Amino acid sequence: DAGVIQSPRHEVTEMGQEVTLRCKPISGHDYLFWYRQTMMRGLELLIYFNNNVPIDDSGMPEDRFSAKMPNASFSTLKIQPSEPRDSAVYFCASSSQWTSGGLVKNIQYFGAGTRLSVL
Amino acid sequence: GEDVEQSLFLSVREGDSSVINCTYTDSSSTYLYWYKQEPGAGLQLLTYIFSNMDMKQDQRLTVLLNKKDKHLSLRIADTQTGDSAIYFCAESPDNFNKFYFGSGTKLNVKP
């Protein structure tokens, strides 16, 4: 499997522009997560989906941020309008639960991230 | 809410052992994880331990779990310069789905 694929790897935009980040999860995974990483705040969970349905969006900073998952193989994170303080690395991760030896297991696999710079 | 704490930096010499520590707050955490992040890359799973285990060994990696003190450690034997990275501890409470990550420990390995 190719792993979690994110695009673009780097995005430079001007304040006020719309930014769309894309993610293709690992095939067969039914959970998808969006994280943001900054020096100041570390790794923050923004939102996660289960079977394409948003389950918890309590980490989404404000209404400028929105995320969709139209099907099992694609998700987007959109920022409109973007601001300089949105500059960060955005990661997508996917996971699936399985049972082994009577134990439920769950591992998250991360994409390489999108480095966003808002000027 | 859940709180995962790690020291920010660790510096060791090549060939020495590294020990990265982590404390967590949720006693119901079922799994605890160690992830590695190299510069410009995403987080890569190194190893994980189930909460009913005290220790797990995988080649140069040893994970120790003290559930009473809610303390997790990662020991890297014979540390190499290629081990230089940020190491994240994470816990997964009962719902299994949300992971709570620490701030990461930056390991610097000096030749």
Side-chain angles (χ1 to χ4, degrees):
Chain A
D1 199 314
V4 177
I5 299 173
Q6 291 186 246
S7 64
R9 287 297 314 277
H10 303 276
E11 177 80 41
V12 181
T13 190
E14 292 187 347
M15 184 172 66
Q17 297 297 306
E18 177 180 294
V19 175
T20 300
L21 311 181
R22 296 172 176 79
C23 175
K24 177 177 166 45
I26 292 172
S27 177
H29 282 189
D30 51 359
Y31 288 89
L32 184 139
F33 305 81
W34 282 101
Y35 291 88
R36 177 172 68 176
Q37 185 179 37
T38 60
M39 289 291 292
M40 291 297 294
R41 300 173 70 89
L43 195 63
E44 303 173 274
L45 175 65
L46 301 177
I47 185 171
Y48 79 92
F49 296 82
N50 177 219
N51 292 324
N52 313 337
V53 175
I55 302 300
D56 184 347
D57 65 354
S58 59
M60 295 286 262
E62 48 198 274
D63 292 345
R64 297 185 298 107
F65 285 69
S66 62
K68 293 182 179 178
M69 192 165 185
N71 57 62
S73 59
F74 184 66
S75 177
T76 58
L77 178 68
K78 187 176 292 186
I79 308 172
Q80 166 63 18
S82 58
E83 296 182 3
R85 60 193 167 119
D86 302 329
S87 297
V89 181
Y90 291 81
F91 288 105
C92 176
S94 70
S95 73
S96 183
Q97 290 184 17
W98 77 99
T99 302
S100 173
L103 300 174
V104 178
K105 298 189 177 183
N106 183 348
I107 294 172
Q108 289 189 18
Y109 295 88
F110 282 74
T114 295
R115 183 172 295 275
L116 173 65
S117 297
V118 183
L119 307 177
Chain B
E2 288 74 8
D3 197 12
V4 181
E5 300 275 348
Q6 299 178 243
S7 54
L8 291 180
F9 300 101
L10 176 65
S11 184
V12 300
R13 291 212 171 272
E14 191 174 20
D16 288 349
S17 291
S18 308
V19 179
I20 303 171
N21 294 301
C22 168
T23 58
Y24 60 97
T25 55
D26 195 324
S27 57
S28 69
S29 285
T30 307
Y31 284 97
L32 295 126
Y33 305 81
W34 284 105
Y35 281 80
K36 176 183 179 182
Q37 184 182 30
E38 296 181 348
L43 278 69
Q44 176 191 4
L45 178 71
L46 277 181
T47 186
Y48 63 95
I49 188 168
F50 187 60
S51 58
N52 70 351
M53 298 169 65
D54 298 324
M55 185 181 86
K56 181 178 180 181
Q57 187 152 4
D58 184 1
Q59 299 182 337
R60 292 191 297 122
L61 304 179
T62 303
V63 178
L64 294 178
L65 174 61
N66 182 329
K67 201 172 178 183
K68 174 175 170 289
D69 295 338
K70 301 190 186 69
H71 183 266
L72 182 74
S73 68
L74 174 70
R75 179 177 180 270
I76 306 172
D78 187 24
T79 314
Q80 303 297 307
T81 54
D83 295 323
S84 292
I86 301 175
Y87 291 80
F88 290 89
C89 167
E91 63 171 341
S92 175
D94 277 346
N95 68 8
F96 300 116
N97 305 318
K98 283 180 81 165
F99 283 26
Y100 295 90
F101 286 86
S103 56
T105 299
K106 186 170 185 178
L107 175 64
N108 179 41
V109 182
K110 294 179 280 189

